[in-house]
């Protein structure tokens, strides 16, 4: 076994470089052809049942509106019932024929079972599960009053998504449906002041990559990797701490439109804004090029503002 690993250590790197040099251009050409085909043949979601967690605001709210415009039926989930009612009413006006709201907390196993059961009881099926519910973090890891205070981030962002996905799988298998999961660009790029948040999103990324293999071909999985998006989860905190929103923030409406188009095209991974994928590529090839500027940004601007 040691001999085999020694051989792989010696020969796999040059063979990989040769393979990429010879075949990567053809791979990109195939990707271009497939991309053009997907732009022509979009999924028709009219009459399909879409369950969206974290639907009362932010990306979840605006993705709901995009589905509503195309005539999808919606099951909207969040802890804030009053906000859900507003989103539901707007969705009906935009064109959704049937909308229900199901208040509850994704961090509760019982609530996650309730979300699925009530959706199936009302509509009789489930076509898309959009795992959007999540919480953000803007605190140094060492500044948690006690380490257990970080648990709720993982409970909502990771386990809440895993719970509801577990209960949805049998119904999505019947409809050959889709699981859409909201990870984050921070799953691939280190983000200061969000260590546990980044860990929860990285866990989602790897969990659903593995689940994609397990559930193929019955259920398709779409992983979303948003960059800096101006939502009410992040924007007020940036304005409070730093005086303005982050300069690279994209509007939540534009982000939601891009996500919906990607889902309809059958994409398996959606990075929005799309330029962020190139940062990940650079980081994988030469990590220092990305990490050093982030360290400078943190030490020069974020950390001093944080300690004001």
């Amino acid at each position: 076994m040691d001999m085999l690993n020694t051989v792989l250590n010696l020969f796999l790197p040059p063979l990989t470089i040769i393979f990429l040099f010879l075949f990567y251009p053809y791979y990109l050409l195939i990707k271009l052809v497939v991309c053009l085909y997907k732009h022509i043949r979009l999924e028709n979601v009219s009459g399909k049942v879409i369950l969206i967690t974290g639907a009362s605001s932010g990306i979840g709210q605006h993705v709901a509106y995009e589905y509503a415009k195309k005539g999808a039926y919606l099951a909207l989930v969040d802890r804030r019932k009053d906000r859900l009612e507003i989103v539901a009413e707007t969705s009906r006006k935009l064109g959704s024929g049937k909308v229900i709201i199901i208040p509850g907390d994704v961090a509760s196993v019982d609530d996650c079972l309730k979300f699925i059961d009530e959706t199936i009881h009302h509509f009789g099926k489930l076509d898309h599960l959009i795992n959007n519910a999540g919480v953000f973090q803007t605190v140094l890891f060492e500044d948690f009053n006690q380490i257990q205070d970080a648990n709720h981030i993982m409970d909502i962002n990771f386990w809440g998504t895993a719970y509801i996905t577990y209960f949805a799988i049998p119904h999505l298998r019947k409809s050959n449906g889709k699981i859409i999961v909201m990870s984050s660009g921070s799953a691939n790029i280190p983000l200061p002041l969000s260590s546990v948040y980044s860990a929860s999103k990285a866990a989602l990324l790897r969990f659903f990559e593995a689940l994609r293999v397990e559930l193929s071909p019955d259920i398709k999985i779409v992983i979303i990797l948003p960059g800096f998006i101006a939502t009410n989860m992040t924007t007020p905190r940036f304005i409070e701490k730093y005086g303005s929103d982050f300069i690279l923030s994209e509007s939540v409406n534009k982000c939601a439109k891009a996500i919906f188009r990607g889902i309809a095209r059958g994409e398996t991974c959606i990075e929005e804004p799309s330029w962020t994928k190139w940062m990940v590529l650079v980081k994988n090839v030469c990590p220092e090029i990305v990490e050093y500027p982030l360290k400078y940004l943190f030490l020069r601007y974020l950390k001093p503002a944080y300690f004001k």
Side-chain angles (χ1 to χ4, degrees):
M1 298 296 288
D2 288 341
M3 178 61 71
L4 178 59
N5 280 296
T6 301
V7 171
L8 289 174
N9 288 338
L10 288 172
F11 291 103
L12 194 56
L15 288 175
T16 301
I17 293 172
I18 293 171
F19 176 82
L20 289 175
F21 180 77
L22 293 176
F23 295 102
Y24 193 63
Y26 298 102
Y27 168 77
L28 291 178
L29 180 60
I30 293 170
K31 288 272 290 185
L32 176 62
V33 173
V34 171
C35 182
L36 292 174
Y37 175 76
K38 287 178 177 179
H39 273 79
I40 298 171
R41 192 164 181 252
L42 299 177
E43 178 183 4
N44 180 11
V45 298
S46 178
K48 289 192 173 182
V49 177
I50 317 299
L51 192 160
I52 306 175
T53 68
S56 71
S57 63
I59 294 176
Q61 173 188 357
H62 288 271
V63 167
Y65 293 160
E66 295 303 314
Y67 273 98
K69 293 172 186 176
K70 301 298 181 180
Y73 300 155
L74 303 177
L76 305 177
V77 168
D78 202 284
R79 290 177 293 185
R80 297 172 292 182
K81 183 179 179 181
D82 56 335
R83 285 289 307 159
L84 281 180
E85 290 173 343
I86 295 171
V87 176
E89 183 58 30
T90 303
S91 297
R92 293 185 186 99
K93 292 177 180 178
L94 288 172
S96 181
K98 298 178 182 178
V99 185
I100 63 170
I101 64 171
I102 317 173
D105 187 351
V106 295
S108 164
V109 177
D110 292 337
D111 279 3
C112 285
L113 178 59
K114 178 186 73 172
F115 300 150
I116 299 299
D117 284 349
E118 290 195 17
T119 300
I120 297 302
H121 177 75
H122 188 88
F123 295 109
K125 64 172 183 173
L126 176 62
D127 295 292
H128 290 188
L129 169 64
I130 300 182
N131 287 305
N132 171 73
V135 292
F136 193 55
Q137 169 204 352
T138 53
V139 61
L140 292 172
F141 179 68
E142 61 187 290
D143 283 354
F144 281 108
N145 292 326
Q146 54 182 0
I147 186 57
Q148 295 91 329
D149 291 344
N151 287 350
H152 81 284
I153 298 172
M154 192 64 72
D155 288 341
I156 295 173
N157 290 1
F158 178 74
W159 285 114
T161 299
Y163 295 154
I164 193 169
T165 296
Y166 176 81
F167 296 121
I169 284 173
H171 306 287
L172 290 169
R173 183 170 274 123
K174 291 178 183 177
S175 64
N176 292 118
K178 291 181 179 178
I179 299 171
I180 296 94
V181 57
M182 200 67 60
S183 182
S184 168
S186 66
N188 288 318
I189 298 174
L191 194 62
L193 300 174
S194 63
S195 53
V196 180
Y197 170 82
S198 297
S200 69
K201 294 300 186 176
L204 284 177
L205 174 60
R206 303 311 172 199
F207 175 76
F208 280 95
E209 284 179 338
L211 208 59
R212 179 183 285 146
V213 179
E214 293 183 16
L215 299 179
S216 179
D218 299 332
I219 300 173
K220 295 179 176 63
I221 290 180
V222 184
I223 299 174
I224 315 295
L225 298 165
F228 296 101
I229 308 301
T231 70
N232 57 9
M233 184 171 70
T234 58
T235 296
R237 300 188 188 192
F238 267 95
I239 293 175
E240 179 185 355
K241 288 184 180 293
Y242 313 116
S244 65
D245 198 7
F246 190 67
I247 191 171
L248 295 177
S249 292
E250 180 179 270
S251 72
V252 66
N253 185 51
K254 182 178 180 181
C255 177
K257 289 180 182 295
I259 288 172
F260 178 78
R261 287 196 302 269
I263 295 170
R265 288 197 300 261
E267 302 288 348
T268 58
C269 184
I270 302 168
E271 294 164 282
E272 183 60 30
S274 60
W275 61 261
T276 57
K277 70 178 68 174
W278 299 104
M279 284 189 65
V280 176
L281 178 62
V282 171
K283 177 184 176 294
N284 290 336
V285 175
C286 187
E288 293 81 3
I289 292 179
V290 173
E291 290 176 5
Y292 286 160
L294 284 171
K295 289 177 183 177
Y296 175 80
L297 176 68
F298 174 64
L299 293 173
R300 179 68 177 82
Y301 298 104
L302 298 183
K303 195 170 184 178
Y306 177 82
F307 284 111
K308 279 184 180 178

